[in-house]
Amino acid sequence: MSQEPAEPQAAGAPEALPDDVPTLQSMVRELQAVVARLEEQLRELAERTNRNSGNSSKPPSSDPPWRQRPPKPPTGKKRGGQRGHPGHYRRLAPPSAVDHVVVCTPDTCGHCGVHFPESSPRRRKFRRFQVVELPPIRPEITEYQVEGRRCRGCGRRTWGTLPAGVTRCVGPRVQAVAALLSGACRLPRRQTQALLADLFGVSLSLGSLCALEADTARALAAPYAELASAIPRAPVVGVDETSWKEGGTLHWLWTAVTPRFALFRVDRHRSRAVFDALVPAAAAETAGPVVISDRYSAYGHLPADRRSLCWAHLARDFRAAEERGGIDAVVGRWVLEIFGKVLAPWHRYRTGELTRERCRAEITAGQEELRAPLRWGEEHGSRKTRALCRDLLEQWPSLWTWLDVEGGEPTNNAAERALRPAVLWRKSSFGHQSETGEQFVERMLTAVTTLRLQGRNVWRYLVETCEAARQGTSAPSLLPQAST
């Protein structure tokens, strides 16, 4: 019996499906797994595209122009100053600080036109009006003529020596201005060079500016080291880090912030070892500060009573979960609603409506309400939400550590605010190029941030520090003074 020849398959036609059902089921399962992976990748890409300052750690400056923050609920008040609020006026300088006094005396009455007598009455009344003006700025140039005298005995010439402190072609005030413009105002060197020439008539090369930065870094070495030794003795320290560049290589800028001073350090690594060097007593069993931080793993070794998780970071994480939709949206909204209720007493404490003891009591009473959405999210949420909820339940005591220490806060906003000027500096300067530049960056950021936290004059401190370095005397301390 002859068999009919098989018809040839047309080009581009699909392959014949297998007849056995198990093979078809296996293919369906494989295709379903591929679809699931692709859907997960699509969700990851969409979430990454939609990241902003409200649902991630990205700064507000990175938000796209079309992102609009949720409007605040109307308060019913008119814009501007409210009735009864204390006015803010520029204070008049004391008479001892006034250089010139000009008396403006009227000749005739402004109401009826009667001429006033030349002799003034005994009780004279004045309205004071002060005008502040800068004097014409002209650099003061001192020429040192080093004389050489020849000895009659040996015939050799001996030259005089410059006075102590004369080490550069510019004085300490010019050095302080250059450091202030580049290290505090974050100006590029060419703009610093132009401002020194335009405002003060001082012409410096770019190489001279680099040399002055190195001198300033050396002048700040002792105050910087003294401040670093004080970090472990602080009761509460906020710690954060951001990326940095040194010669095009990725580095990390770390900061440790207290209410009265801040320390910055540049390192090539973003590891536990760097954190331990920054806050060496944090993981000690009997002593050390409470560290406020995000959930980065470099802080995971800290004991629960020495670590306080930042609620601002957690709020952004759950806002991102809410934007993912589905079960995650329910978990995110649920947690954020409880966050608002739990932290309401804290905001009332900040405005003076509650004492700290009463604030602590009210927050403690509402702690357990937060466990329900975290447990539900751990069971039913997506992979990211499950991991987030599980992590918070495992670190539950660290959510409330800030309540038990004086000066503790629920957020790490102080450290984030301290890093913002550094981020702007990095964007305009692209980091630094050498170890000397690294020292200038971390020491200037430390000095400027610390002085502003204490309400001290940055310019005056830099002048005193540069003068002390040239005279070989001790630099003024960056630690909080009794009078500040």
Side-chain angles (χ1 to χ4, degrees):
M1 183 175 180
S2 61
Q3 297 181 351
E4 295 181 1
E7 295 182 2
Q9 186 173 359
E15 297 182 1
L17 296 176
D19 295 334
D20 53 328
V21 175
T23 304
L24 288 175
Q25 292 176 340
S26 176
M27 292 177 62
V28 169
R29 286 193 294 270
E30 291 179 2
L31 292 175
Q32 287 176 338
V34 171
V35 171
R37 287 197 301 271
L38 292 176
E39 288 179 344
E40 180 67 20
Q41 291 179 5
L42 183 60
R43 283 193 294 268
E44 291 282 346
L45 291 174
E47 183 177 352
R48 189 179 305 174
T49 304
N50 294 329
R51 284 179 184 171
N52 52 61
S53 61
N55 57 24
S56 69
S57 296
K58 297 181 67 175
S61 59
S62 66
D63 289 344
W66 55 85
R67 179 185 180 261
Q68 303 205 357
R69 299 185 180 182
K72 295 182 179 179
T75 61
K77 299 179 181 179
K78 294 183 178 180
R79 304 182 72 176
Q82 304 300 312
R83 178 174 297 179
H85 85 288
H88 299 280
Y89 307 98
R90 184 173 64 87
R91 294 183 178 181
L92 294 175
S96 59
V98 175
D99 297 299
H100 310 283
V101 176
V102 179
V103 180
C104 303
T105 304
D107 297 327
T108 60
C109 177
H111 303 279
C112 63
V114 172
H115 287 272
F116 291 117
E118 295 183 1
S119 59
S120 59
R122 295 181 180 179
R123 295 181 179 179
R124 304 178 66 183
K125 293 185 177 181
F126 296 93
R127 290 180 179 176
R128 300 173 63 196
F129 181 79
Q130 295 181 348
V131 177
V132 180
E133 176 62 297
L134 292 174
I137 300 176
R138 179 183 179 278
E140 182 180 276
I141 301 176
T142 303
E143 179 178 329
Y144 295 91
Q145 298 183 353
V146 181
E147 183 181 1
R149 305 186 67 178
R150 189 179 300 276
C151 176
R152 294 181 179 180
C154 64
R156 296 184 177 181
R157 190 180 299 276
T158 301
W159 294 92
T161 57
L162 291 172
V166 181
T167 57
R168 291 282 182 187
C169 61
V170 295
R173 286 184 177 82
V174 176
Q175 178 182 343
V177 169
L180 189 70
L181 292 177
S182 59
C185 302
R186 305 180 298 276
L187 293 181
R189 290 194 182 97
R190 293 190 183 278
Q191 292 188 18
T192 300
Q193 183 186 40
L195 277 178
L196 286 173
D198 293 341
L199 293 179
F200 308 108
V202 177
S203 299
L204 291 177
S205 66
L206 296 178
S208 297
L209 286 176
C210 293
L212 290 177
E213 290 180 1
D215 289 348
T216 305
R218 284 190 290 269
L220 291 170
Y224 179 84
E226 182 186 25
L227 196 67
S229 64
I231 290 291
R233 300 192 299 271
V236 180
V237 176
V239 180
D240 204 358
E241 74 288 330
T242 187
S243 59
W244 195 259
K245 288 291 184 69
E246 178 177 331
T249 305
L250 177 63
H251 280 59
W252 296 93
L253 178 66
W254 293 71
T255 185
V257 180
T258 74
R260 301 289 283 167
F261 54 87
L263 181 75
F264 290 81
R265 179 169 294 170
V266 179
D267 198 278
R268 189 167 185 174
H269 302 285
R270 190 191 183 198
S271 62
R272 171 183 170 178
V274 183
F275 167 72
D276 289 340
L278 185 69
V279 190
E285 297 181 359
T286 57
V290 170
V291 175
I292 306 176
S293 69
D294 54 21
R295 295 185 301 118
Y296 181 51
S297 59
Y299 317 118
H301 64 289
L302 296 173
D305 61 342
R306 296 294 170 79
R307 185 184 186 188
S308 182
L309 295 178
C310 174
W311 284 56
H313 281 83
L314 298 178
R316 292 193 288 265
D317 291 337
F318 282 104
R319 195 169 292 114
E322 181 184 9
E323 294 176 359
R324 281 196 289 268
I327 298 296
D328 290 2
V330 178
V331 176
R333 283 195 297 268
W334 193 357
V335 171
L336 290 175
E337 180 181 355
I338 296 178
F339 271 18
K341 293 195 298 184
V342 170
L343 293 181
W346 168 256
H347 297 299
R348 293 163 59 196
Y349 161 73
R350 293 291 298 271
T351 59
E353 299 178 32
L354 294 179
T355 63
R356 186 162 184 102
E357 291 74 17
R358 182 61 183 169
C359 171
R360 183 177 182 276
E362 292 190 13
I363 292 179
T364 303
Q367 286 181 7
E368 292 302 317
E369 187 179 357
L370 184 59
R371 287 187 184 270
L374 294 181
R375 287 172 176 167
W376 200 76
E378 183 185 15
E379 295 177 2
H380 304 287
S382 65
R383 177 178 56 84
K384 282 188 174 183
T385 302
R386 290 198 307 268
L388 173 61
C389 294
R390 186 184 309 114
D391 188 31
L392 293 185
L393 289 172
E394 291 175 354
Q395 302 188 62
W396 181 261
S398 296
L399 282 173
W400 316 102
T401 306
W402 60 275
L403 287 172
D404 300 324
V405 58
E406 188 65 28
E409 295 191 2
T411 68
N412 197 25
N413 291 344
E416 290 190 331
R417 283 194 298 267
L419 280 178
R420 283 174 190 167
V423 172
L424 296 176
W425 195 1
R426 178 194 67 203
K427 290 182 177 181
S428 62
S429 67
F430 305 102
H432 56 269
Q433 302 297 322
S434 63
E435 183 179 355
T436 302
E438 173 184 308
Q439 294 173 353
F440 179 74
V441 166
E442 57 189 12
R443 294 172 188 178
M444 276 298 298
L445 286 173
T446 297
V448 172
T449 308
T450 296
L451 294 169
R452 287 178 175 165
L453 286 174
Q454 298 175 16
R456 296 164 64 182
N457 189 290
V458 178
W459 151 254
R460 188 176 300 117
Y461 177 86
L462 289 175
V463 171
E464 294 174 357
T465 302
C466 294
E467 288 178 344
R470 296 185 180 215
Q471 296 294 335
T473 58
S474 299
S477 175
L478 283 171
L479 292 177
Q481 306 298 318
S483 58
T484 59

